[in-house]
Amino acid sequence: ELSYGNTLMRLDFVWLRDHCRSASCYNAKTNQRSLDTASVDLAIRPRAVRVDETTLFLTWPDGHVTRYGLEWLLKNSYEGQKQQVMHPRILWNAEIYRQAQVPSVDCRSFLETDEGLKEFLQNFLLYGIAFVENVTPTKEDTEILAERISIIRETIYGRMWYFTSDFSRGDTAYTKLALDRHTDTTYFQEPCGIQVFHCLKHEGTGGRTLLVDGFHAAEQVLRRAPEHFELLAKVPLKHEYVEGVGGCHNHMIGVGPVLNVYPWNNELYLIRYNNYDRAVINTVPHDVVRRWYHAHRALTAELRRPDNELWVKLKPGKALFVDNWRVLHGREAFTGYRQLCGCYLTRDDVLNTARLLGLQA
C-alpha cells in the first residue's frame, strides 16, 4: 500500500516488477515492453523498498532496481484510473448545445491549418458532433474533407456512399420516410465510429436531421434508475441486417449490450441503439427479459424527450461529422429531390489525429 495525493494505492509486487521502466525492461524509443512477463516469479517480493517525496525505489532479489515516480503511479494505478475519465465530454440537450454556440470550422482552415483542425476535433470530442462550413458540394470534396482526419472505412455500402430516395438498397434510409433516432451499423461486431453527412442538393421540403446525445439520455437513466442502466450495460443483444435486393446480398450480425461501459470507472463509451435492426431477443433468459424491456423503455423515453432533440437542416456546403458511438441521428420525412453523400471513418484514426494535436482522446 502506498498513499500519495490523498489516494491510497494497492500495488501488487508482480505488477511493480512487470512495469519497470528501466532501460533493460522497457524501450523508451518504441514505448514497448522488453521484459518477458512470463519470466517474472509470480511470488516475487522486493529485497528492499524505499520511498522519498517523489519516487518509489524497489530492489529485487536479483539486484535489479526499479524506480517509479509517485505521480506516474498515481496516474497509472487502478485507484488513480478510477478517478479519471478516458474521454472528457460535455453532455447536452438541445438548449445546452444552442447556448454553447459551438462554432463551425471553415473548410479552408480545417484542411490547411493545425489550429482549425484542432478546434474542429476539440468540438467533436466534447459534443460528439461538429460542422465544417464552405465545403464544395461534391462527393469528391467531401471525401477530401473526411481523409483529413481519418482513413475512410469501406463497408458493404462502399467507400463513399451517395444516394437519393430511390430505394436502391433494402434499407429505410434510402426512402423519403421519416427515420427515428438510431445509431448506425449496430449489426457490425464493431459499429462504425464516425459518420460524415453532406447534403449536396435538396429541391423540396422537410428532411431536417435529428441529433440526440445518447450519453446524456443514458446519464439521466443512471441518475433516476441505476438498475435500468446496469441491465442495459450487461445484457447482450443481437442486431441483424439481412439484404437481398438486386446484386446486394448481405447478412450481418453484431452482438453487444445497448450501453457499453469501461468496468473500472463505469464510463460510457458506446451506445448501440437501433430499433429497426434489433434482431429477435433470444439471448435474454425469461426471468430477465421483462426487466430489460422496462430498462429499454426508460432509455427510449429519455431519447425521445423533445428537449433532447436537436434539429438541423443540412444544406450544400455544410458537412456534419457525427460520433456514431454516442450521438443518435434521425430524419424527418421530405418531399422532392434530395442528394446526400457521406462515409464512415475509422475511430482509431480520428482519435489518433486528435492525440497528435495534443488533445485528450
Coordinates of all heavy atoms in Angstrom, one line a residue, residues 68 79-80 119 203 206 209 225 307 320 326 346:
Y68 N 10.0 4.3 -9.6 CA 8.8 4.8 -10.1 C 8.5 6.2 -9.5 O 8.7 6.4 -8.3 CB 7.6 4.0 -9.6 CG 7.4 2.7 -10.4 CD1 7.7 1.5 -9.7 CD2 7.0 2.6 -11.7 CE1 7.5 0.2 -10.4 CE2 6.9 1.4 -12.4 CZ 7.1 0.2 -11.7 OH 7.0 -1.0 -12.4
E79 N -6.5 2.7 -8.7 CA -7.2 3.7 -7.9 C -7.2 5.0 -8.6 O -8.1 5.8 -8.6 CB -6.6 3.8 -6.5 CG -6.8 2.6 -5.6 CD -5.9 1.4 -5.9 OE1 -5.0 1.6 -6.7 OE2 -6.1 0.3 -5.3
G80 N -6.0 5.3 -9.2 CA -5.9 6.6 -9.9 C -6.8 6.6 -11.2 O -7.5 7.6 -11.5
E119 N -9.4 22.8 -33.5 CA -10.6 23.4 -33.0 C -11.8 22.5 -33.3 O -12.7 22.2 -32.5 CB -10.9 24.8 -33.6 CG -12.2 25.4 -33.1 CD -12.4 26.7 -33.8 OE1 -11.7 27.1 -34.7 OE2 -13.5 27.4 -33.5
E203 N -34.2 19.8 -53.4 CA -35.3 20.6 -54.1 C -36.6 20.1 -53.5 O -37.2 19.3 -54.1 CB -35.2 20.5 -55.6 CG -33.8 21.0 -56.1 CD -33.6 20.6 -57.6 OE1 -34.4 19.7 -58.1 OE2 -32.7 21.1 -58.2
G206 N -39.0 19.7 -45.9 CA -38.7 18.7 -44.9 C -37.2 18.3 -44.9 O -36.3 18.9 -45.4
T209 N -32.4 17.0 -40.2 CA -31.7 15.9 -39.5 C -31.9 16.1 -38.0 O -31.8 17.2 -37.4 CB -30.2 16.0 -39.8 OG1 -30.0 15.7 -41.2 CG2 -29.4 15.0 -39.0
A225 N -32.7 5.7 -12.4 CA -33.0 4.3 -12.2 C -31.7 3.5 -12.5 O -31.6 2.9 -13.6 CB -34.1 3.8 -13.1
D307 N -37.0 18.0 -25.5 CA -35.9 18.9 -25.2 C -34.5 18.3 -25.4 O -33.5 19.0 -25.4 CB -36.0 19.5 -23.7 CG -36.0 18.4 -22.7 OD1 -36.0 17.2 -23.1 OD2 -36.1 18.7 -21.5
L320 N -21.5 17.6 -41.8 CA -21.7 17.2 -40.4 C -20.9 15.9 -40.1 O -21.0 14.9 -40.8 CB -23.2 17.0 -40.2 CG -23.6 16.3 -38.9 CD1 -23.2 17.1 -37.7 CD2 -25.1 16.0 -38.9
R326 N -21.9 7.6 -29.9 CA -22.6 8.4 -28.9 C -23.8 9.1 -29.3 O -24.8 9.0 -28.6 CB -21.5 9.5 -28.5 CG -22.1 10.5 -27.6 CD -21.1 11.6 -27.2 NE -21.8 12.7 -26.5 CZ -21.1 13.8 -26.1 NH1 -19.8 14.0 -26.3 NH2 -21.8 14.7 -25.4
T346 N -12.8 5.5 -39.5 CA -12.3 4.6 -38.5 C -12.0 5.4 -37.2 O -11.3 6.4 -37.3 CB -11.0 3.8 -39.0 OG1 -10.0 4.8 -39.2 CG2 -11.3 3.1 -40.2

